[in-house]
Amino acid sequence: MNIHEKYINRCIQIAKNAIPLAYPNPAVGCCIVHKNNIIAEGYTSEYGGSHAEVNAINSLKNKDLLSECSLYVTLEPCSHFGKTPPCSDLILKYKIPRVFIGIKDPNPKVSGKGIKKLKENGVHVEVEILAKECKNHHKIFLTNITKKRPFITLKWAETADGYIAPKEKKNTKPVWISNKYSQQLSHKLRSEFDCILVGSKTIIDDDPSLNTRQWHGRSPKVVVLNRKNNLDKNLNVFKTGSEILIIDNKTISNNKNITKQICKFLKSNNISSIIVEGGAQTLKTFLKENMWDEIKVFKSNKKLVNGINAPIIQLEKSSEKNIMGDKLITYHNN
């Protein structure tokens, strides 16, 4: 890792502080370097607030140093007026001579215009530094812009013998497949999404809360596929205070392109990211219609011998992590 990659990597680290509050804006990270030392850092404020570059520059007391600095940022500085003034103008105002950028912004309002403005005004600009890592970090924003739909993660826990749940519930207590560490990580993952989507069978059978009670973070909105819109309001999901969206027969017109219709509806409700947590039929629908970007599978050592089959994934895994005995396997839709 060269020196520029080192600083962009730091930008990615601090940008995570902006997830998910910055959405629908990208969660950008920025650091300012003077004589090989980071002297200021910033990340995107909650939506409507300042961008990462502004926060980094404003955190520096001695602004005179900026004319001798390099600015590192995960995403191209904006060049247009939105809810805030252009970041590229601020960089020029303080005569920052060098700017190093992770990736170009695909937003048509920016898309190279920020880079062009900086170069035309004598700033040394380099782009595509740790591009793969920056694209992964900005995956939700990039999907929103390029695919014009929410980013979709499918997530489930499955046993060593390939089941996601017992076929019949013998008691009212939930059957936990993954361990407590995986469960906590799952709640952390929920906190990074705008909404969690499940089928009505999951709500009725498991009576889940679908919040982030095991992690300090906001709970996502809850989206339930319930054709008849007839769920019992005494179910746990209605007691958590989370916003509930019901997708019923009035929302989806027929049985074709179900996931496309779901995405259209959720996009109209300002949803930028979806985590789909079940049940089996809902997950299989998203897989069958190839409407997904990422899959997270918590693979347990436990066995059920008999149960509801987990979806079969015939893809090369992107990564695998050990979670105190469980495995977290990630797949990407390329």
Side-chain angles (χ1 to χ4, degrees), residues 172-220:
T172 56
K173 291 183 178 180
V175 177
W176 295 110
I177 290 173
S178 57
N179 64 38
K180 63 180 182 180
Y181 305 101
S182 294
Q183 290 164 32
Q184 186 179 40
L185 184 56
S186 177
H187 284 221
K188 176 183 182 293
L189 191 62
R190 284 177 180 175
S191 74
E192 297 171 1
F193 284 78
D194 278 344
C195 78
I196 177 170
L197 184 146
V198 294
S200 57
K201 190 174 187 302
T202 296
I203 295 288
I204 295 165
D205 290 353
D206 299 341
D207 196 15
S209 297
L210 300 178
N211 56 12
T212 56
R213 61 195 177 278
Q214 293 187 39
W215 188 260
H216 179 71
R218 70 165 191 178
S219 291

Side-chain angles (χ1 to χ4, degrees), residues 179 181-182 185 301 320-329:
N179 64 38
Y181 305 101
S182 294
L185 184 56
N301 289 322
E320 182 178 306
K321 293 180 181 178
N322 186 288
I323 314 293
M324 301 298 284
D326 287 352
K327 292 177 183 176
L328 174 56
I329 304 169

Side-chain angles (χ1 to χ4, degrees), residues 2 9 15 29 46 51 73 76 103 132 161 166 179 188 200 203 214 233 270 277 288 295 303-304 307 315 319:
N2 64 39
N9 189 57
E46 189 170 353
H51 290 187
V73 65
E76 176 184 1
I103 54 173
K132 182 180 177 182
D161 48 358
N179 64 38
K188 176 183 182 293
S200 57
I203 295 288
Q214 293 187 39
K233 295 303 186 288
N270 300 314
E277 290 201 13
K288 182 182 177 182
I295 295 172
K303 291 186 178 181
L304 278 179
L315 294 169
S319 66

Side-chain angles (χ1 to χ4, degrees), residues 3 6 18 54 149 158 187 192 204 247 264 285 317 325:
I3 193 69
K6 173 186 171 183
V54 176
R149 63 160 174 80
E158 70 176 70
H187 284 221
E192 297 171 1
I204 295 165
I247 294 181
K264 184 178 180 181
T285 299
K317 57 191 173 189

Side-chain angles (χ1 to χ4, degrees), residues 35-50:
K35 294 181 179 178
N36 294 324
N37 289 308
I38 296 176
I39 61 171
E41 295 181 332
Y43 53 87
T44 313
S45 297
E46 189 170 353
Y47 182 61
S50 301

